[in-house]
Every structure is written in structure tokens, then in C-alpha cells.
Amino acid sequence: MKAVVIRKHGGPEVLSYEKIPDPVPEKGDVLVKVNYCAVNHLDIWVRNGIIGKKVSFPHILGCDISGTLVEGFSGFKKGDKVVVYPAFDSNALRVSFGIIGGFGKYSGGYAELISVPKRNIIKKPDWLSDKEAASINVSYLTAWNMLERSRCKKGDTILIWGANSGVGSAAILLAKAKGLQVITIASDKNKIKFAKKLGSDFVIDRSTQDITLQVLKITNQVGVDAVIDHVGAKTWPVSLEVLKVKGRMIVCGTTTGGEATVNIRAFYSKEAQIIGAYLGSKSQLISLHKFMKLKKIKPAIDCVFKLKDAKIAHQKMEKSNQFGKILLQVSN
């Protein structure tokens, strides 16, 4: 089969498009022909390498997958269109989990074929195209989990960072569908326009405006009920600063760094909460599909590259100039 593999950590140049042997499923696994695989920041982190995390080379990236079953099992039949829930139990005690294509034993979707646990297979909703279905399993599920953990109710105000990103654009679409008032941050006129198109009620231009002052102005000096922060070290101080009393900061991602300095006094005096959120559960993904169908939400997709152009896709993501999801077309 054709695949994009990495044989060492590094920049986009370590992505190699080549022919490798087809995977052989282990007991409890099933083969899926990959149709589309979305690019996520996890792919960048694994490609670059993280201290204390290991992968076995050669490694195949890609955790956001839609495809076609090569063989049937249980309630599924050969040829069924499916999506792959990205998380798997990383040890026998099931006290932690890994991500397919991430730091774990399962190779990812930058390949024509992938072997995954049967329990990770979900039937593709028929109202979603193959490429739309591949856009939801990570960014949208993570945003959904963050919104649920924020405990925001209809009419609450939420600040969402990075409107043009996968998690940011997903969070805006889902938050608006839940009836929340959305404030988001952007850095140029195109990103501001995109944020408004997604439904943001207020868009703050971080290149020309003081974020804290603007948020307080919008909220009549009260602050927001919650913040969705998937950016990391650079945004944490502001995220805490704009929270109202008893506000919640929901966190995933370390794109701008993994160690932040915050005002501890401001944190405890507000009785604020910092809540970590990771990928949601398989049942949450199924609930998300139902919610998106009910609210007629389609994922925001920026562009689609051929698998052989994975390097270009990574370069685009690293420049942060996408508007929604970046996808790799593997087969169709």
C-alpha cells in the first residue's frame, strides 16, 4: 500500500510518501480502507517529537479517519462506510488511553489501509460526506467535550480562542447551536470575517485591540462564564483574567507552549476553575453526530490535499492560515 511515514522526528521534510507492506490485523482488529484523514495538531506534535513520549519507527500519523470496511463483523458488513473513533486503551487495566496515529501501538490514517480495534468502528452518518465525516472525530469531538465540561447553559457567554483552527471553528459552531453568546479572537480581517461567518457574536482583533478590555466591555465588566483555550502558554493569563467570578477555563492543547505563568491570586479570588479536557468518549461522538444532524451543522473545511502532499498540508497548518479543517484524500 501507499502511505506517508516518518522514520525520525523533525519538520515536514521527514514525511515520506512510499510503498510499504499492508497491515495485518491482530485479534480483535479490522482492516479499513482509508478514504480521508484530517490533519491535526497531534500529527505535528508526534512528528516533531515530545520529550518522554516514544513511537516505533517507521510510524504513520493520522487520527481523524473515515473509510470503508474491508471485511464485515458483528453488525457491520464489507463495504460499509465508517468512521474510526480515535482513542484506544493503552494498557490492560484501561486506566489510560492512546490515540491512533499518536504515541501508541496503532499506526494512523496517512495510509491506504489501517488496522484498528473493531470496537472503534462507528457507522458513518449518511448525511455526512466522507470528507465531512473525517473532520469530526478529533477537533469537533474535543470541542464538544469541552463545551459539555464548561457546564454553560443557554444565554451564557463564552470566549473561544482561534476561530480559524479546527477546535476553534468547531467550538463556535457548536456553542452557537447550544444557544451561547460567543466572543472569539482573530488576528486579521480574513479571520475576523471567517469568525463572523461561523456565527460569533463578537470578534476581537488581537493585533489592534486589548483582549481583556474588550471582553470586559462586552460583558459590562462582569467577565465570561467560560473560556475554551486550546492554544496554550501564551493565552492562559488572559483566559483567567477575563473569567467572571466562579467562571470555568476549559483547556486542551499546547500549541504555543506547555508551561504557563498565571496570576494565582486572581485565580483563587475569583473561585475560578481550570478544567482539563481531552478527546471525548465514543458515546459522546455518537451524541455529537445526532446533535449536528438535529442542528444541521456541517464541519468547516478549508482544503483537501492528496496524500502524497502531506508535507504541504503540515506546512499550511504550522502557518495557522487555514479556515477550518485540512484534509488528506487517501482514496475514494
Side-chain angles (χ1 to χ4, degrees):
M1 69 173 181
K2 291 293 183 67
V4 170
V5 304
I6 60 171
R7 299 181 182 276
K8 62 180 180 180
H9 294 300
E13 71 279 357
V14 303
L15 296 166
S16 175
Y17 180 65
E18 55 190 70
K19 188 171 184 177
I20 63 171
D22 292 353
V24 178
E26 296 181 0
K27 183 179 180 182
D29 293 351
V30 66
L31 280 179
V32 175
K33 176 188 174 186
V34 179
N35 296 330
Y36 287 89
C37 184
V39 178
N40 286 280
H41 277 290
L42 176 63
D43 305 348
I44 308 289
W45 298 333
V46 176
R47 191 204 70 208
N48 286 334
I50 296 176
I51 295 174
K53 297 281 190 178
K54 294 183 179 180
V55 297
S56 297
F57 296 116
H59 182 69
I60 301 173
L61 304 168
C63 52
D64 225 347
I65 302 155
S66 70
T68 306
L69 281 181
V70 174
E71 57 195 65
F73 69 94
S74 301
F76 297 90
K77 61 181 184 294
K78 178 180 178 179
D80 277 351
K81 293 288 186 74
V82 299
V83 295
V84 179
Y85 173 65
F88 64 92
D89 301 321
S90 61
N91 62 44
L93 296 178
R94 298 191 176 187
V95 294
S96 62
F97 65 87
I99 302 292
I100 290 167
F103 296 100
K105 72 173 187 176
Y106 283 99
S107 290
Y110 289 21
E112 291 177 327
L113 291 170
I114 184 171
S115 175
V116 295
K118 292 178 179 178
R119 62 180 175 273
N120 286 59
I121 298 296
I122 299 172
K123 190 170 180 62
K124 182 186 78 69
D126 56 13
W127 56 276
L128 288 171
S129 67
D130 290 352
K131 64 181 179 181
E132 288 168 343
S135 303
I136 294 172
N137 309 315
V138 176
S139 293
Y140 279 72
L141 178 57
T142 300
W144 181 248
N145 186 31
M146 295 177 85
L147 286 169
E148 288 197 329
R149 301 201 69 184
S150 77
R151 305 192 307 279
C152 283
K153 59 186 182 300
K154 186 175 181 179
D156 283 354
T157 301
I158 192 165
L159 174 68
I160 298 171
W161 287 92
N164 64 302
S165 69
V167 170
S169 59
I172 293 169
L173 288 169
L174 296 173
K176 286 304 300 177
K178 280 177 166 284
L180 307 185
Q181 178 173 253
V182 173
I183 305 171
T184 193
I185 315 296
S187 58
D188 61 50
K189 63 181 182 180
N190 290 327
K191 292 176 182 178
I192 291 171
K193 183 178 178 181
F194 179 66
K196 290 179 178 178
K197 182 180 178 181
L198 292 172
S200 297
D201 297 286
F202 302 93
V203 184
I204 299 170
D205 185 346
R206 65 179 173 85
S207 66
T208 61
Q209 296 177 298
D210 184 295
I211 295 171
T212 300
L213 289 178
Q214 289 301 312
V215 170
L216 292 176
K217 181 180 178 181
I218 292 166
T219 60
N220 295 318
Q221 306 303 312
V222 173
V224 296
D225 296 280
V227 176
I228 298 293
D229 191 323
H230 55 95
V231 180
K234 286 186 178 180
T235 53
W236 268 50
V238 176
S239 292
L240 282 171
E241 195 171 13
V242 300
L243 284 178
K244 69 188 298 185
V245 173
K246 298 186 184 297
R248 285 87 59 199
M249 175 177 162
I250 320 302
V251 178
C252 79
T254 55
T255 305
T256 61
E259 296 185 10
T261 300
V262 299
N263 187 324
I264 298 173
R265 187 182 300 276
F267 171 62
Y268 73 69
S269 63
K270 288 183 178 182
E271 296 187 311
Q273 294 181 6
I274 300 176
I275 302 171
Y278 207 39
L279 191 73
S281 66
K282 181 180 176 182
S283 62
Q284 281 180 299
L285 179 54
I286 294 170
S287 296
L288 173 60
H289 285 158
K290 293 177 180 177
F291 180 81
M292 291 180 72
K293 181 179 181 181
L294 177 66
K295 299 295 184 178
K296 296 181 171 59
I297 300 172
K298 291 294 187 77
I301 295 175
D302 179 272
C303 57
V304 181
F305 291 96
K306 297 291 186 183
L307 179 61
K308 64 183 179 63
D309 294 322
K311 290 180 185 178
I312 303 173
H314 276 225
Q315 289 167 347
K316 183 177 180 67
M317 174 164 277
E318 288 183 305
K319 291 177 182 176
S320 191
N321 61 3
Q322 77 273 18
F323 296 92
K325 297 295 295 180
I326 299 172
L327 288 140
L328 298 175
Q329 182 179 353
V330 182
S331 56
N332 56 13

